[in-house]
């Protein structure tokens, strides 16, 4: 990102409820909303990449965005990211893109194809995490929501310090990287990563936290 406050920010969520929660926060921040475009691109990394690429291309005539933010609800690794809290990505990791063998999982980058993670600007991501009182660490992108304690333990072992998982960050980051636009990922925790208990998801609480985060973000990014 160029020095100073970003002139244009693209925020990509998965679903409309997340988009509306982000927009409500930006509206509460007052005026900053005009520099922000918020789109709901769909669930999963493929929809996220396609939607981000489309939105970036559409915005090019007004000038290339300075920053792309992947945002929404997510699963939190407890105890570091409990339900209702926020998580900000230090790295955005494609946690299930690769090959599963008898010896375990090999990430796609180790297979010699592409990359397995994106690194947001370190100073900026840390600054945003601190300002939002968010957990800070790797945020995993998965194609399949974790639903067992065994899978959660496997992910934690492979990605020490992981704070959250969701389904879009890596797709958003891949699209942003094509235009060399820096990326952040901000997640509001709706559920714990672990044994599947859909009834325990606190989506309303997470959306409220997401709104609060985007009420603060313009101030953190420089008004
Ligand atoms: O209940 C299910 O089985 C289920 C399966 C696929 C998707 C969903 C969603 O509700 C997706 C919405 C959205 O939420 C993010 N999210 C929230 N918690 C998690 C999680 O623990 N692991 C991964 N993603 C999560 C995700 O980014 C989706 O876009 C429900």
């Amino acid at each position: 990102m160029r020095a100073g406050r970003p002139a244009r920010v693209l925020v990509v969520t998965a679903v409309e409820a997340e988009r509306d929660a982000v927009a409500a926060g930006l509206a509460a921040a007052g005026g900053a909303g005009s520099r922000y475009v918020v789109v709901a691109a769909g669930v999963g990394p493929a929809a996220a990449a396609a939607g981000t690429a489309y939105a970036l291309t559409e915005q090019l005539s007004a000038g290339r965005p300075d920053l792309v933010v992947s945002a929404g609800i997510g699963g939190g690794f407890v105890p570091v990211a409990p339900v209702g809290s926020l998580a900000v990505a230090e790295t955005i990791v494609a946690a299930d893109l690769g090959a599963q063998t008898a010896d375990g999982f090999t990430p796609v980058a180790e297979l010699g194809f592409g990359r397995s993670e994106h690194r947001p600007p370190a100073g900026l991501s840390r600054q945003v995490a601190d300002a939002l009182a968010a957990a800070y660490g790797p945020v995993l992108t998965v194609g399949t929501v974790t639903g067992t304690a065994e899978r959660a333990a496997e992910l934690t072992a492979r990605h020490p310090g992981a704070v959250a998982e969701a389904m879009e960050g890596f797709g958003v980051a891949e699209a942003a990287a094509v235009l060399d636009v820096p990326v952040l990922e901000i997640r509001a925790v709706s559920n714990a990563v672990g044994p599947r208990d859909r009834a325990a998801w606190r989506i309303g609480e997470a959306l409220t936290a997401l709104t609060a985060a985007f009420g603060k973000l313009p101030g953190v990014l420089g008004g």
Side-chain angles (χ1 to χ4, degrees):
M1 194 172 70
R2 289 188 292 271
R5 82 171 191 185
R8 280 171 293 277
V9 181
L10 172 65
V11 184
V12 183
T13 69
V15 300
E16 289 175 5
E18 294 168 324
R19 181 197 62 198
D20 294 348
V22 168
L26 293 171
S34 61
R35 294 188 288 108
Y36 288 72
V37 172
V38 191
V39 299
V43 171
T52 303
Y54 182 83
L56 281 170
T57 307
E58 217 181 21
Q59 279 186 262
L60 278 183
S61 57
R64 200 180 67 124
D66 309 273
L67 182 66
V68 176
V69 184
S70 172
I73 65 171
F77 286 94
V78 287
V80 69
V83 170
S85 70
L86 294 165
V88 171
E90 176 193 34
T91 51
I92 299 170
V93 182
D96 55 13
L97 186 63
Q100 190 72 43
T101 72
D103 296 329
F105 177 80
T106 305
V108 72
E110 285 178 32
L111 296 171
F113 307 110
R115 57 204 297 181
S116 300
E117 64 177 52
H118 288 269
R119 192 166 282 273
L124 183 66
S125 58
R126 164 65 79 180
Q127 191 187 346
V128 168
D130 288 349
L132 300 182
Y136 183 64
V139 173
L140 312 184
T141 301
V142 292
T144 302
V145 174
T146 296
T148 65
E150 292 73 22
R151 176 66 175 160
E154 187 186 330
L155 289 173
T156 307
R158 258 201 347 250
H159 306 286
V163 292
E165 73 164 36
M167 303 176 77
E168 293 81 27
F170 189 77
V172 172
E174 284 279 274
V178 172
L179 286 179
D180 205 22
V181 180
V183 67
L184 296 177
E185 182 169 6
I186 301 174
R187 291 285 160 185
V189 177
S190 54
N191 58 282
V193 176
R196 178 178 166 75
D197 181 5
R198 192 67 165 81
W201 285 34
R202 296 287 173 262
I203 293 176
E205 205 179 314
L207 292 174
T208 299
L210 195 60
T211 296
F214 277 84
K216 292 179 187 156
L217 191 68
V220 183
L221 296 180

Coordinates of all heavy atoms in Angstrom, one line a residue, residues 70-105:
S70 N -10.5 -9.0 3.0 CA -11.4 -10.2 3.1 C -12.0 -10.1 4.5 O -11.3 -10.1 5.5 CB -10.6 -11.4 2.9 OG -11.5 -12.6 3.2
A71 N -13.4 -10.1 4.6 CA -14.0 -9.9 5.9 C -15.2 -10.8 6.0 O -15.9 -11.1 5.0 CB -14.4 -8.5 6.1
G72 N -15.6 -11.2 7.3 CA -16.8 -11.9 7.5 C -16.7 -12.6 8.8 O -15.8 -12.3 9.7
I73 N -17.6 -13.6 9.0 CA -17.5 -14.4 10.2 C -16.6 -15.6 10.0 O -16.1 -15.8 8.8 CB -18.9 -14.9 10.6 CG1 -19.5 -15.9 9.5 CG2 -19.9 -13.8 10.8 CD1 -20.8 -16.6 10.0
G74 N -16.2 -16.2 11.0 CA -15.3 -17.4 10.9 C -15.3 -18.2 12.2 O -15.9 -17.9 13.2
G75 N -14.6 -19.3 12.1 CA -14.4 -20.2 13.2 C -13.2 -19.7 14.0 O -12.2 -19.4 13.3
G76 N -13.2 -19.7 15.3 CA -12.0 -19.3 16.1 C -11.4 -20.5 16.7 O -12.0 -21.4 17.2
F77 N -10.1 -20.4 16.8 CA -9.3 -21.5 17.5 C -9.3 -21.0 19.0 O -8.8 -19.9 19.3 CB -7.9 -21.6 17.0 CG -7.9 -22.4 15.7 CD1 -7.9 -21.7 14.5 CD2 -7.8 -23.8 15.6 CE1 -7.8 -22.4 13.3 CE2 -7.8 -24.5 14.4 CZ -7.8 -23.8 13.2
V78 N -10.0 -21.8 19.8 CA -10.0 -21.4 21.3 C -8.7 -21.9 22.0 O -8.2 -22.9 21.5 CB -11.3 -22.0 21.9 CG1 -12.5 -21.3 21.5 CG2 -11.4 -23.5 21.7
P79 N -8.3 -21.3 23.0 CA -8.9 -20.1 23.7 C -8.6 -18.8 23.1 O -9.1 -17.8 23.5 CB -8.4 -20.3 25.1 CG -7.0 -20.8 24.9 CD -7.1 -21.7 23.7
V80 N -7.7 -18.7 22.1 CA -7.2 -17.4 21.6 C -8.2 -16.6 20.9 O -8.2 -15.3 21.0 CB -5.9 -17.6 20.8 CG1 -6.2 -18.2 19.4 CG2 -5.1 -16.3 20.6
A81 N -9.2 -17.2 20.3 CA -10.2 -16.4 19.6 C -11.6 -17.0 19.9 O -12.2 -17.8 19.2 CB -9.9 -16.5 18.1
P82 N -12.1 -16.5 21.0 CA -13.5 -17.1 21.5 C -14.6 -16.4 20.6 O -14.4 -15.4 20.0 CB -13.5 -16.6 22.9 CG -12.6 -15.4 23.0 CD -11.5 -15.6 22.0
V83 N -15.8 -17.1 20.7 CA -16.9 -16.6 20.0 C -17.2 -15.1 20.4 O -17.1 -14.7 21.6 CB -18.2 -17.4 20.4 CG1 -19.5 -16.8 19.9 CG2 -18.0 -18.8 19.8
G84 N -17.5 -14.3 19.4 CA -17.7 -12.9 19.6 C -16.5 -12.0 19.5 O -16.6 -10.8 19.4
S85 N -15.3 -12.6 19.5 CA -14.1 -11.8 19.4 C -13.7 -11.6 17.9 O -14.4 -12.2 17.0 CB -13.0 -12.5 20.1 OG -12.6 -13.7 19.4
L86 N -12.6 -10.9 17.7 CA -12.2 -10.6 16.3 C -10.8 -11.3 16.1 O -10.0 -11.5 17.0 CB -12.0 -9.1 16.1 CG -13.3 -8.3 16.1 CD1 -13.1 -6.8 16.3 CD2 -14.1 -8.6 14.8
A87 N -10.5 -11.6 14.8 CA -9.2 -12.1 14.4 C -8.7 -11.4 13.2 O -9.5 -11.1 12.3 CB -9.3 -13.6 14.2
V88 N -7.5 -11.1 13.2 CA -6.8 -10.4 12.0 C -5.7 -11.3 11.6 O -4.9 -11.8 12.4 CB -6.3 -9.0 12.4 CG1 -5.5 -8.4 11.3 CG2 -7.5 -8.1 12.7
A89 N -5.6 -11.5 10.3 CA -4.6 -12.4 9.7 C -3.2 -11.8 9.7 O -3.0 -10.7 9.1 CB -5.0 -12.8 8.3
E90 N -2.2 -12.5 10.2 CA -0.8 -12.2 10.0 C -0.4 -12.9 8.7 O 0.3 -12.3 7.9 CB 0.0 -12.9 11.2 CG 1.5 -12.7 11.0 CD 2.2 -13.6 12.0 OE1 1.7 -14.7 12.3 OE2 3.3 -13.2 12.5
T91 N -0.9 -14.1 8.5 CA -0.8 -14.8 7.2 C -2.1 -15.3 6.8 O -2.9 -15.7 7.7 CB 0.3 -15.9 7.2 OG1 0.0 -16.7 8.3 CG2 1.7 -15.4 7.3
I92 N -2.4 -15.4 5.5 CA -3.6 -16.0 5.0 C -3.2 -17.3 4.3 O -2.5 -17.3 3.3 CB -4.3 -15.0 4.0 CG1 -4.6 -13.7 4.7 CG2 -5.5 -15.6 3.3 CD1 -5.0 -12.6 3.7
V93 N -3.6 -18.4 4.9 CA -3.1 -19.7 4.5 C -4.1 -20.6 3.8 O -5.2 -20.8 4.3 CB -2.6 -20.4 5.8 CG1 -1.9 -21.8 5.5 CG2 -1.6 -19.6 6.6
A94 N -3.7 -21.2 2.7 CA -4.5 -22.2 2.0 C -4.3 -23.5 2.7 O -3.4 -24.3 2.4 CB -4.2 -22.3 0.5
A95 N -5.2 -23.8 3.7 CA -4.9 -24.9 4.6 C -5.2 -26.3 4.1 O -4.7 -27.3 4.6 CB -5.6 -24.7 5.9
D96 N -6.0 -26.4 3.0 CA -6.3 -27.7 2.5 C -6.1 -27.8 1.0 O -6.7 -28.6 0.3 CB -7.7 -28.2 2.9 CG -8.8 -27.2 2.5 OD1 -8.5 -26.3 1.7 OD2 -9.9 -27.3 2.9
L97 N -5.2 -26.9 0.5 CA -4.8 -26.9 -1.0 C -3.5 -27.7 -1.1 O -2.4 -27.1 -0.7 CB -4.7 -25.5 -1.5 CG -4.5 -25.3 -3.0 CD1 -5.7 -25.9 -3.8 CD2 -4.3 -23.8 -3.3
G98 N -3.5 -28.9 -1.6 CA -2.3 -29.6 -1.7 C -2.6 -31.1 -2.0 O -3.6 -31.4 -2.7
A99 N -1.8 -32.0 -1.4 CA -2.0 -33.4 -1.7 C -1.9 -34.1 -0.3 O -1.1 -33.8 0.5 CB -0.9 -33.9 -2.6
Q100 N -2.9 -35.0 -0.1 CA -2.9 -35.9 1.1 C -2.3 -37.2 0.7 O -2.7 -37.9 -0.3 CB -4.3 -36.1 1.5 CG -4.5 -36.7 2.9 CD -4.1 -35.8 4.0 OE1 -4.5 -34.6 4.0 NE2 -3.3 -36.3 5.0
T101 N -1.2 -37.6 1.4 CA -0.6 -38.9 1.2 C -0.5 -39.7 2.5 O -0.9 -39.2 3.5 CB 0.9 -38.6 0.6 OG1 1.7 -38.2 1.8 CG2 1.0 -37.6 -0.5
A102 N 0.1 -40.9 2.4 CA 0.2 -41.7 3.6 C 1.1 -41.0 4.6 O 1.0 -41.3 5.8 CB 0.8 -43.0 3.2
D103 N 2.0 -40.1 4.1 CA 2.9 -39.4 5.0 C 2.3 -38.1 5.5 O 2.9 -37.4 6.3 CB 4.2 -39.1 4.2 CG 4.9 -40.3 3.8 OD1 4.8 -41.3 4.6 OD2 5.6 -40.3 2.8
G104 N 1.1 -37.8 5.1 CA 0.4 -36.6 5.6 C 0.1 -35.6 4.5 O 0.1 -36.0 3.3
F105 N -0.1 -34.4 4.8 CA -0.5 -33.4 3.9 C 0.7 -32.6 3.3 O 1.6 -32.2 4.1 CB -1.5 -32.4 4.6 CG -1.9 -31.2 3.7 CD1 -2.9 -31.4 2.8 CD2 -1.3 -30.0 3.8 CE1 -3.3 -30.4 2.0 CE2 -1.7 -28.9 3.0 CZ -2.7 -29.1 2.1

